[in-house]
């Protein structure tokens, strides 16, 4: 009996880091990329909580290198100088205020933790950092942490350049420098403890979990070692003994020796194959058809659903790098993108993360966007512009705010309504017209073919009149968009023309008249 109890206790401990710790029936995360803490706090209160968003992934909050030539790139935030909470998004007091205000309305905060490395070897020396802390990258001297030459992997990397030269060598990938970034010696207890101390300060403030940046470039056991030092979540908002949610950035598209599965013991992993494959299918490239999505998920070689965090695009691959590939759909391809995000949010696989971006001036040379470095909308002094909200609820100041697009917001609500319901009532025409339900709570249908659709299909829903939540929604017991009539036997007629603004329809029981 004692052994059984120990096994059950271990299983309970194990399970913690896979759970996003969201309020019940709030299932999706949004990445408010490069937003200021003040704007996130307001967005939690005025929009995210009322529309059922579960949590926010925020940009790295720690002190980073300031790069001013020609302008400040977004990636400077991935060049740590210290673990002080002060960045373009705001200072420590503003960060604490955001975490409190978001938690108070049931929206969780997940921090992008950059702990594999410090700034690049060419970062120079001085005080050009977001808090003004002194550092000397050449000497591996970061007194604001403090880290010194003892705390880096320089002696452990066996390439001539000190850089990763082959992704087929797991030792290089994990012990050498990624893009010249100074690689921390995570096998040293001092480094592990220092990282855990930083993460624990954030947990104590009320943070609910972490995205572990560049996890593929760390040994799984080293990550485990600092995760084992983490506190339980703050009992002001979470029940006693709750573990932080962990999802690790492991780019595994197949074809390399490092696998996402090596990291399952630590938490979930980012399933990069998801967006790459879904983009290929929805673009109808390589002979792919939506009909092939019937066994979407593990049937496509993805990691198990209970170990996956999924997304159509992220801040890296929407710019064509970090497991980019031309198939990735983004806000620049709005019509196809909304279909892909709609499919993701309707389908039960994984924990879903929605992207919220900013625009940049795209300019292509030899097929590459040479402006992929451009940072967030900024004032002349380099400070980040606030996110302004237009009268039609879209965003201004060059913030895209895909999470505020009606189709995406309403599908976030759809996912909450159907949470826990099985994948059901699949239908396809053998081509690019497909449909599926989620038990007796919701149903979605797509026409990605080049001809009009007019079909009767089984929805599995109770009889009645439903509002399509893509073309509109239910307001004051009427539909602002299309209506769908479900008969007593669960059948319904769907007509979607190829010129429809959005070639898909979604209905659920909370949108029934």
């Amino acid at each position: 009996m004692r052994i059984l109890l120990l096994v059950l206790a271990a299983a309970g401990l194990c399970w913690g880091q896979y759970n996003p710790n969201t309020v019940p029936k709030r299932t999706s995360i949004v990445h408010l990329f490069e937003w200021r803490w003040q704007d996130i706090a307001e967005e939690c209160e005025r929009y995210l909580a009322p529309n059922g968003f579960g949590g926010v992934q925020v940009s790295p909050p720690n002190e980073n290198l300031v790069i001013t030539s020609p302008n400040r790139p977004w990636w400077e935030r991935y060049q740590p100088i210290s673990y002080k909470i002060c960045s373009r998004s705001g200072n420590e007091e503003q960060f604490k205020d955001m975490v409190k205000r978001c938690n108070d309305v049931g929206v969780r905060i997940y921090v992008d933790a950059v702990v594999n490395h410090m700034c690049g070897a060419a970062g120079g020396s001085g005080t050009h950092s977001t808090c003004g802390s002194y550092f000397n990258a050449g000497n591996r001297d970061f007194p604001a942490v403090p880290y010194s030459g003892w705390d880096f992997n320089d002696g452990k990397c066996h390439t001539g350049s000190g850089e990763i030269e082959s992704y087929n060598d797991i030792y290089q990938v994990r012990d050498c420098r990624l893009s010249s970034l100074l690689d921390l010696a995570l096998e040293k207890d001092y480094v592990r403890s220092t990282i855990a101390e930083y993460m624990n300060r954030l947990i104590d403030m009320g943070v609910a979990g972490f995205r572990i940046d560049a996890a593929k470039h760390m040994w799984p056991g080293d990550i485990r070692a600092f995760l084992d030092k983490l506190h339980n979540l703050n009992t002001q908002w979470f029940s006693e003994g709750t573990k932080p949610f962990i999802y690790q950035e492991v780019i595994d598209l197949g074809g390399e020796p490092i696998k996402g599965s090596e990291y399952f013991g630590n938490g979930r992993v980012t399933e990069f194959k998801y967006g790459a494959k879904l983009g290929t299918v929805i673009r109808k490239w390589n002979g792919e058809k939506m009909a092939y999505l019937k066994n979407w998920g593990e049937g496509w070689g993805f990691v198990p659903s209970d170990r996956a965090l999924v997304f159509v695009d992220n801040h890296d691959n929407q710019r064509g790098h970090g497991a980019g590939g031309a198939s990735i759909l983004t806000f620049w391809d709005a019509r196809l993108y909304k279909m892909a995000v709609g499919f993701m949010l309707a389908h039960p696989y994984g924990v879903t993360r929605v992207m919220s971006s900013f625009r940049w001036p795209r300019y292509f040379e030899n097929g590459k966007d040479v402006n992929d470095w451009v940072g967030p909308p900024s004032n002349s002094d380099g400070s980040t512009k606030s996110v302004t909200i237009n009268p039609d609820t879209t965003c201004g100041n060059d913030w895209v705010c895909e999470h505020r697009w009606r189709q995406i917001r309403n599908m976030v609500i759809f996912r909450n309504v159907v949470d826990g319901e099985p994948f059901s009532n699949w239908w396809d025409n053998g081509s690019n017209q497909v449909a599926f339900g989620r038990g007796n709570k919701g149903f979605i249908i797509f026409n990605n073919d080049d001809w009009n659709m007019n079909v009767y299909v089984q929805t599995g829903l109770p009889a009645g009149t439903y509002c399509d939540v893509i073309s509109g929604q239910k307001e004051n017991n009427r539909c602002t968009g299309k209506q769908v009539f479900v008969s007593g036997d669960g059948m319904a007629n769907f007509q979607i023309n190829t010129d429809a603004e959005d070639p898909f329809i979604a209905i659920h029981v909370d949108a029934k008249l």
Side-chain angles (χ1 to χ4, degrees), residues 156-221:
K156 210 174 172 195
C157 172
H158 298 302
T159 63
S161 62
E163 302 283 316
I164 300 166
E165 294 173 6
S166 167
Y167 273 80
N168 287 315
D169 181 334
I170 61 171
Y171 296 94
Q172 287 188 34
V173 175
R174 289 165 171 160
D175 294 335
C176 297
R177 295 194 299 249
L178 164 68
S179 305
S180 294
L181 298 161
L182 296 174
D183 203 59
L184 284 164
L186 279 155
E187 82 276 8
K188 298 196 173 183
D189 190 64
Y190 172 73
V191 176
R192 294 169 173 180
S193 298
T194 303
I195 288 167
E197 189 185 333
Y198 162 56
M199 294 171 78
N200 280 331
R201 278 177 53 224
L202 297 169
I203 288 170
D204 295 348
M205 289 174 197
V207 161
F210 299 91
R211 170 193 183 263
I212 309 293
D213 178 66
K216 174 181 180 173
H217 298 281
M218 297 180 260
W219 292 92

Side-chain angles (χ1 to χ4, degrees), residues 282-313:
I282 287 187
R283 292 183 189 277
K284 300 186 279 195
W285 286 358
N286 307 338
E288 294 284 9
K289 299 173 180 178
M290 287 189 77
Y292 301 159
L293 297 173
K294 185 175 183 177
N295 66 337
W296 185 243
E298 290 96 333
W300 281 62
F302 300 165
V303 302
S305 180
D306 63 359
R307 293 294 179 270
L309 181 119
V310 299
F311 43 93
V312 171
D313 63 329

